Amino acid sequence: MKAALAQVRSYERSVQLLMVNQFTINLGFYMLMPYLAAHLSGTLGLAGWTVGLVLGIRNFSQQGMFLVGGALADRFGYKPLIVAGCVLRTVGFAALGLVDSLPALLAASAATGLAGALFNPAVRAYLAADAGERRVEAFALFNVFYQAGILTGPLVGMVLTGVDFRVTCLVAAGIFALLSAVQIRALPARRAEAADGHGPDGHGAAGGNGADRPERRPREQWRGIVANRPFLLFSAAMIGSYVLSFQVYLALPLEVRRLGGDGNFGTVAVAGLFAVSGLGTIVLQTRVTAWCKARMEPGRALGLGLLTMAVAFVPLLVATAVPVPGGGIGLWLLAAVPPTLSALLLALGTMIAYPFEMDTIVRLSGNRLVATHYGLYNTICGIGITLGNLLTGAALDASRAAGLSALPWLALLMLGLACAAALYGLHRTGRLTAAPGPRPVTA
């Protein structure tokens, strides 16, 4: 961890601030969201479908608006969108703790989701711009801060929610309010124009009148992005990585509770899945990235990451061949060890792929309209996650009904292998490389 912090200090101040920001964003988010469903169903007494609607609105407003948030960041600059997202989440989190009517809860939930759509593409585009040639290492460190926030948030939230969930909401809102103020004061403004005075496509402004500026040619920009076949193929191939990694929240906890029950053991074992994933990333991310960068090209690293994520479901597949003990330590080991190994391998695969994934998006965009590309990429993957989770849930139900416990793990393994093969094919045909474009500049 000391080496990681020393590496962070080697970047300019804006990059350091963005990493601390991401830790704080995740701290505030995860100290509240894991306990929101219990508040809605318990304290407020809402029906199950209503709780699902409130939570679903948040996810839909974020995934559905990523593209808009990215486009706005490229048009108006990264800092305004980052600040606007944090301010909007301040309002949304405070409202979740203070209102109890369904329309108000839906509005607050939508606001928290839209906030993420505003600042997420902008943060990543800003980080890519200011990290320059050290983008891969910067995104590796970014993932360390990201996971640290995910680990810390629920622990803080558990203490605050023990007092009152409204306290949790107000503290989370306060964190985002403070974050907004810090960014307004300390984060330099950054826009997507080229440093050499050229337009976003690398050509000089026509007649010196700014005709090639991003805000003057939106239709041409959108056509260019949609026609960027390598980027779209890469986005489609990476959907599988998100479907697989999300199983830490879906299939793995369900498997633990299927065998270990819903008591204390099941709760502890599920918590262990998240701890292994988060702590593994914090400890190993920078070393894994350095090892991969020294030995392979980005395309090969991406393929290796997807292959590792596919192999993550082998322990669960093997465990289906083991007779389920009637109880005791044998049952506990069967319920906890294979899912934990899977969670660790999923985290390792993400560690391998994530920094190169973020860097590849920048390269395939030609370093032009980077936030818009990140927004479209997140939207595509978000749709894929939704469909993938529906199919995974259906496979889990079908496997239990038919007595074929290996079915979901085999399907996830095949998905990972198919996506790894697709990435390898894109790498071999040169579709994951692009000429570097101009850097954004301080406004």
Side-chain angles (χ1 to χ4, degrees):
M1 194 63 186
K2 289 183 179 179
L5 293 175
Q7 196 173 349
V8 170
R9 287 194 292 269
S10 70
Y11 286 91
E12 57 185 276
R13 185 180 179 186
S14 61
V15 175
Q16 298 177 25
L17 183 57
L18 288 170
M19 292 181 183
V20 175
N21 284 351
Q22 191 58 53
F23 167 78
T24 311
I25 286 170
N26 280 9
L27 170 66
F29 182 83
Y30 285 97
M31 67 189 288
L32 184 152
M33 292 309 295
Y35 309 103
L36 178 58
H39 168 70
L40 296 174
S41 62
T43 307
L44 300 184
L46 299 181
W49 70 269
T50 311
V51 174
L53 178 62
V54 173
L55 298 179
I57 285 292
R58 188 213 66 81
N59 186 67
F60 178 79
S61 63
Q62 180 161 321
Q63 298 293 344
M65 296 297 287
F66 267 131
L67 181 55
V68 174
L72 290 174
D74 280 326
R75 183 182 178 97
F76 298 109
Y78 304 144
K79 178 177 177 177
L81 271 294
I82 295 172
V83 173
C86 289
V87 170
L88 187 57
R89 189 158 279 182
T90 301
V91 174
F93 276 0
L96 285 174
L98 298 175
V99 303
D100 54 13
S101 69
L102 181 58
L105 287 168
L106 290 174
S109 185
T112 63
L114 177 58
L118 293 179
F119 59 62
N120 272 322
V123 166
R124 284 153 180 77
Y126 197 143
L127 183 67
D130 276 21
E133 297 301 317
R134 300 170 64 197
R135 282 195 305 260
V136 171
E137 294 85 350
F139 278 114
L141 290 168
F142 184 81
N143 198 32
V144 171
F145 281 83
Y146 190 97
Q147 293 294 332
I150 292 177
L151 273 178
T152 309
L155 298 177
V156 176
M158 179 174 62
V159 175
L160 294 175
T161 303
V163 178
D164 193 322
F165 181 74
R166 291 178 175 82
V167 173
T168 305
C169 291
L170 294 177
V171 171
I175 288 173
F176 275 94
L178 178 61
L179 190 59
S180 302
V182 169
Q183 289 174 128
I184 290 171
R185 181 178 178 84
L187 189 65
R190 188 77 74 231
R191 290 184 63 89
E193 287 93 0
D196 58 5
H198 290 77
D201 58 355
H203 300 295
N209 61 2
D212 280 348
R213 288 169 63 86
E215 58 268 35
R216 300 294 179 88
R217 300 183 299 107
R219 292 183 180 178
E220 289 82 354
Q221 292 167 2
W222 284 105
R223 281 199 291 265
I225 294 174
V226 173
N228 189 343
R229 186 176 176 83
F231 169 74
L232 295 178
L233 290 173
F234 173 70
S235 301
M238 288 300 295
I239 287 175
S241 71
Y242 286 87
V243 174
L244 298 181
S245 62
F246 195 86
Q247 301 317 309
V248 173
Y249 303 97
L250 178 61
L252 299 190
L254 289 177
E255 180 66 7
V256 169
R257 294 193 181 278
R258 182 180 75 86
L259 295 173
D262 294 323
N264 291 334
F265 171 78
T267 301
V268 171
V270 170
L273 298 178
F274 302 120
V276 164
S277 179
L279 290 174
T281 301
I282 292 171
V283 174
L284 298 175
Q285 176 69 80
T286 55
R287 299 177 186 176
V288 168
T289 300
W291 187 90
C292 291
K293 190 173 183 182
R295 289 167 175 80
M296 61 189 73
E297 297 175 276
R300 286 188 58 202
L302 285 165
L304 177 60
L306 265 293
L307 182 61
T308 304
M309 296 174 78
V311 173
F313 296 94
V314 171
L316 291 161
L317 192 59
V318 172
T320 61
V322 177
V324 179
I329 191 170
L331 181 61
W332 293 350
L333 290 174
L334 186 63
V337 173
T340 301
L341 287 175
S342 294
L344 183 59
L345 287 171
L346 285 172
L348 178 60
T350 303
M351 283 183 251
I352 295 170
Y354 179 78
F356 299 98
E357 170 194 357
M358 295 293 104
D359 178 65
T360 299
I361 295 170
V362 179
R363 286 188 288 107
L364 292 180
S365 73
N367 217 355
R368 298 183 291 271
L369 301 173
V370 175
T372 306
H373 282 80
Y374 274 129
L376 179 57
Y377 180 82
N378 284 329
T379 298
I380 292 172
C381 291
I383 294 171
I385 289 173
T386 301
L387 295 176
N389 285 342
L390 287 174
L391 294 174
T392 301
L396 289 168
D397 290 340
S399 67
R400 292 179 182 179
L404 301 173
S405 56
L407 176 62
W409 316 127
L410 182 61
L412 291 168
L413 170 62
M414 297 306 296
L415 174 63
L417 293 176
C419 290
L423 284 168
Y424 182 71
L426 292 174
H427 168 65
R428 285 293 302 271
T429 56
R431 293 180 178 177
L432 296 185
T433 58
R439 267 191 74 180
V441 296
T442 302

